[in-house]
Amino acid sequence: MENRAAIAQAAVSEFSSRGYHGATIDAIADKAGMSKPNLLYYFPSKEVIYRTVLEQIVEEWLSPLMTLDPAADPVEELRRYITLKMRMSADRPQASRLFASEVLAGAPILKDFLETRLKSLVEEKSAILQGWIDAGKLAPVDPVHLIFMIWATTQHYADFEAQIDAVTGAQSKKPGFNEQASQAVLSILLNGIKPR
Amino acid sequence: MENRAAIAQAAVSEFSSRGYHGATIDAIADKAGMSKPNLLYYFPSKEVIYRTVLEQIVEEWLSPLMTLDPAADPVEELRRYITLKMRMSADRPQASRLFASEVLAGAPILKDFLETRLKSLVEEKSAILQGWIDAGKLAPVDPVHLIFMIWATTQHYADFEAQIDAVTGAQSKKPGFNEQASQAVLSILLNGIKPR
DNA sequence: CAAGATTTTGACCATTTGGTCGAAAGTTTT
DNA sequence: AAAACTTTCGACCAAATGGTCAAAATCTTG
């Protein structure tokens, strides 16, 4: 259904910049090119729209972590993962901000998801990291915190874009900025976890 | 004025958990223990309350960075700064989330502040970092991105508390968690920037 | 092309909410 | 203790907004 997709896209844009309460059905409908009652023909309520787009985003967000390969070289594997997350932040900053906004508010909708699927995924991947550490291929560091740090640094470039733009004088709009940021992040994180 | 302080505190709590639009004057007044008209006797409007608490927070947020001492040992100085930021995240998570929420929304109120005072502070402190790099005391890495990374990782523990709680099974409530997190963050960041 | 199904929307409603107002309650000053 | 000033609040208003509904427009199908 073409219309549902247009609505979802408009919703991500509105929810991410104005927050759940700040976004209005009217504005979403406008952006999707239809009237409010027409939008409500496709989605029963504002909350259902919100849940729907959140769920989509969360699925996409998860997938890169799921591919972590225990057989690969740890540093190269993490380089790949970090690079991928940096690209996602650059490509879909609104999606990142919508997710962040939900978690900031205490994750009222995603709480269950975070406690179940995300928790077990993190546990699973932490075990892989711990295996690498035990094999002496990574410096000894709590794997869960390492995962948090990767999320924090990579998503920061999307979530705090306004601050980064302000501080760098909108350098972040220029092509190559993302590569430069990736270089810095990779350099610090990978050096930080290489065994000495 | 005791009442203004109570209002400000209630406002930080409401704005940080419900966002600007989700927070209501009534709820803030309730939490501050007074009626809505009474609250509006102390602050002329919701937006002024918001601006006021944001400005307070931003001042506090800035101060640790200002103390960076070029004469000190780089690694020890950064250890001090990171530890301080981690403690701030643990002590005042709501303040952190309110700031994050403002930036997430595109920093409509703080834009000017970020482009002027924060920008020049970052430039000033970047120069110190660059000096350390030139002296061979730090690994060569873009100082601005290093500052972003420190902000990202430390504030993550406040801003994404809901996610961290969910994933760690509320371990983060236990005493010692913050120390453990600080250890991990310090270990990775400091190792990441030590010259090799 | 007519009957039926789907999609679209203008008009409307109920609730929420930011903010006002006038008066009451409390405090300070003379 | 009366006047003057500060603080508090019940009642109210106007605008915004989530959602409904019946009818119109459009599309599908026998």
Side-chain angles (χ1 to χ4, degrees):
Chain A
M1 212 162 272
E2 190 49 53
N3 273 338
R4 274 183 70 95
I7 293 168
Q9 200 182 331
V12 170
S13 168
E14 286 295 306
F15 283 131
S16 72
S17 67
R18 312 212 194 280
Y20 178 77
H21 294 282
T24 68
I25 302 188
D26 272 300
I28 297 172
D30 255 23
K31 203 167 265 189
M34 68 187 67
S35 66
K36 173 167 67 171
N38 197 15
L39 181 151
L40 289 175
Y41 173 77
Y42 290 99
F43 290 88
S45 72
K46 183 181 178 179
E47 202 198 310
V48 170
I49 307 175
Y50 182 71
R51 296 188 110 95
T52 304
V53 296
L54 251 191
E55 273 160 31
Q56 285 174 4
I57 288 170
V58 146
E59 288 304 325
E60 290 172 55
W61 241 237
L62 233 54
S63 56
L65 184 56
M66 296 196 294
T67 68
L68 212 64
D69 175 9
D73 176 67
V75 173
E76 284 318 303
E77 193 62 2
L78 286 172
R79 180 193 305 282
R80 195 183 57 76
Y81 177 57
I82 293 166
T83 305
L84 190 53
K85 289 284 291 177
M86 285 296 288
R87 187 148 27 235
M88 287 181 69
S89 272
D91 290 347
R92 313 245 351 250
Q94 288 182 331
S96 181
R97 288 195 284 268
L98 178 45
F99 177 78
S101 154
E102 160 72 7
V103 177
L104 259 188
I109 305 294
L110 288 185
K111 196 168 197 43
D112 184 63
F113 166 86
L114 298 178
E115 285 171 351
T116 55
R117 286 191 52 200
L118 184 62
K119 183 170 195 282
S120 46
L121 184 63
V122 168
E123 281 165 1
E124 184 188 325
K125 299 308 171 184
S126 291
I128 296 178
L129 293 173
Q130 189 62 53
W132 285 336
I133 293 168
D134 293 341
K137 292 174 174 173
L138 283 186
V141 64
D142 189 321
V144 173
H145 289 289
L146 172 56
I147 293 174
F148 289 160
M149 280 189 70
I150 294 174
W151 289 347
T153 47
T154 56
Q155 291 172 15
H156 185 79
Y157 283 92
D159 301 345
F160 285 72
E161 189 178 289
Q163 177 174 268
I164 290 170
D165 279 4
V167 167
T168 65
Q171 290 264 309
S172 68
K173 253 74 184 178
K174 287 205 276 189
F177 181 86
N178 189 244
E179 281 64 40
Q180 193 189 336
S182 290
Q183 282 306 315
V185 166
L186 285 169
S187 157
I188 295 176
L189 286 182
L190 296 184
N191 272 326
I193 58 172
K194 274 178 196 154
R196 333 209 106 213
Chain B
M1 211 163 276
E2 190 50 51
N3 273 338
R4 274 183 69 96
I7 293 167
Q9 200 182 333
V12 170
S13 168
E14 285 297 304
F15 282 132
S16 72
S17 67
R18 311 213 195 281
Y20 178 77
H21 294 281
T24 68
I25 300 188
D26 272 300
I28 297 172
D30 255 22
K31 201 166 268 189
M34 69 187 66
S35 67
K36 174 166 68 171
N38 197 14
L39 181 149
L40 290 173
Y41 172 76
Y42 291 99
F43 289 89
S45 72
K46 183 181 178 179
E47 203 198 310
V48 170
I49 307 175
Y50 182 71
R51 296 189 108 97
T52 304
V53 295
L54 251 191
E55 274 161 31
Q56 284 174 4
I57 288 170
V58 146
E59 288 305 325
E60 289 172 55
W61 240 235
L62 232 54
S63 56
L65 184 56
M66 295 197 294
T67 68
L68 212 64
D69 176 9
D73 175 65
V75 172
E76 285 317 305
E77 192 63 3
L78 286 172
R79 180 192 307 280
R80 195 183 56 76
Y81 177 57
I82 292 166
T83 304
L84 190 54
K85 290 283 290 177
M86 285 296 288
R87 188 149 25 236
M88 287 180 69
S89 273
D91 290 347
R92 312 242 355 248
Q94 288 182 329
S96 182
R97 287 195 284 269
L98 178 45
F99 177 78
S101 154
E102 160 72 9
V103 176
L104 215 50
I109 305 295
L110 288 185
K111 198 170 191 56
D112 183 64
F113 166 87
L114 299 178
E115 285 171 350
T116 54
R117 286 190 53 200
L118 184 63
K119 184 171 193 283
S120 47
L121 183 63
V122 167
E123 281 164 0
E124 184 188 326
K125 299 308 171 184
S126 291
I128 296 179
L129 293 173
Q130 189 62 55
W132 285 336
I133 293 169
D134 294 342
K137 292 173 177 174
L138 284 186
V141 63
D142 189 320
V144 173
H145 289 289
L146 172 56
I147 292 173
F148 289 160
M149 280 189 71
I150 294 174
W151 289 347
T153 49
T154 57
Q155 291 171 15
H156 185 79
Y157 283 91
D159 300 345
F160 286 72
E161 188 178 288
Q163 177 173 270
I164 290 170
D165 279 4
V167 166
T168 65
Q171 291 263 312
S172 67
K173 253 74 182 177
K174 288 204 277 189
F177 181 87
N178 189 244
E179 281 64 41
Q180 193 188 339
S182 291
Q183 282 306 317
V185 166
L186 285 168
S187 157
I188 295 177
L189 287 182
L190 296 184
N191 271 326
I193 58 172
K194 274 177 195 156
R196 337 210 102 213

